[in-house]
Amino acid sequence: MPTLTWSDDLALDHAQMDATHEEFVALLGAAEAAVAVSREAALAAYEALVEHTVGHFGQEDRWMAATGFAPENCHTFQHAQVLGLMHEVTRLAREQGDFGPLERVLPELGQWFRMHAQSMDAALASHLDQIGFD
């Protein structure tokens, strides 16, 4: 069973952000399911999640920069930290055949994402709505 499933409590009433978040949740669930199949399936599914997350975080970072939302903010810093971790997990699996970090990071990403979406992303969605940014 996936650590995180899409639900109304994750929705932020920002269509593009919600669609991107729903895709993240689906890819996370697919990666968790793939762990039970094989290492190759797990790595492929995890890499799809990483690829999505690069674009996902990049879009939010661009929105923040374009609207002057908390320059030099902890939101962007947190994105960089999480992506750094995700890339390191990929490297360990690919280069060292160490899949332990990949298996452990998936449920942690689910827990982190719930809090991140309900706090930092909610603030960004509200800001974008207030200024009428489309």
Side-chain angles (χ1 to χ4, degrees), residues 15 19 24 53 56 65-66 73 84-85 107 109 111-113 124:
F24 177 90
T53 305
H56 169 173
N73 66 70
L85 170 70
L109 281 171
Q111 292 175 17
W112 168 82
F113 183 76
L124 175 58

Side-chain angles (χ1 to χ4, degrees), residues 28-114:
L28 178 62
E32 288 178 308
V35 168
V37 175
S38 70
R39 286 183 162 192
E40 294 79 16
L43 183 57
Y46 182 76
E47 287 179 325
L49 175 65
V50 173
E51 181 179 342
H52 161 87
T53 305
V54 168
H56 169 173
F57 289 177
Q59 181 63 68
E60 289 181 9
D61 291 346
R62 287 188 298 277
W63 287 338
M64 288 185 276
T67 63
F69 180 75
E72 302 298 322
N73 66 70
C74 61
H75 192 161
T76 299
F77 179 69
Q78 196 172 94
H79 284 170
Q81 283 186 308
V82 170
L83 279 176
L85 170 70
M86 292 178 83
H87 286 302
E88 179 63 8
V89 167
T90 301
R91 186 192 71 75
L92 289 169
R94 282 207 164 278
E95 295 177 12
Q96 298 179 13
D98 184 358
F99 283 78
L102 189 153
E103 293 171 7
R104 288 188 301 274
V105 79
L106 293 171
E108 296 298 327
L109 281 171
Q111 292 175 17
W112 168 82
F113 183 76
R114 177 177 298 284

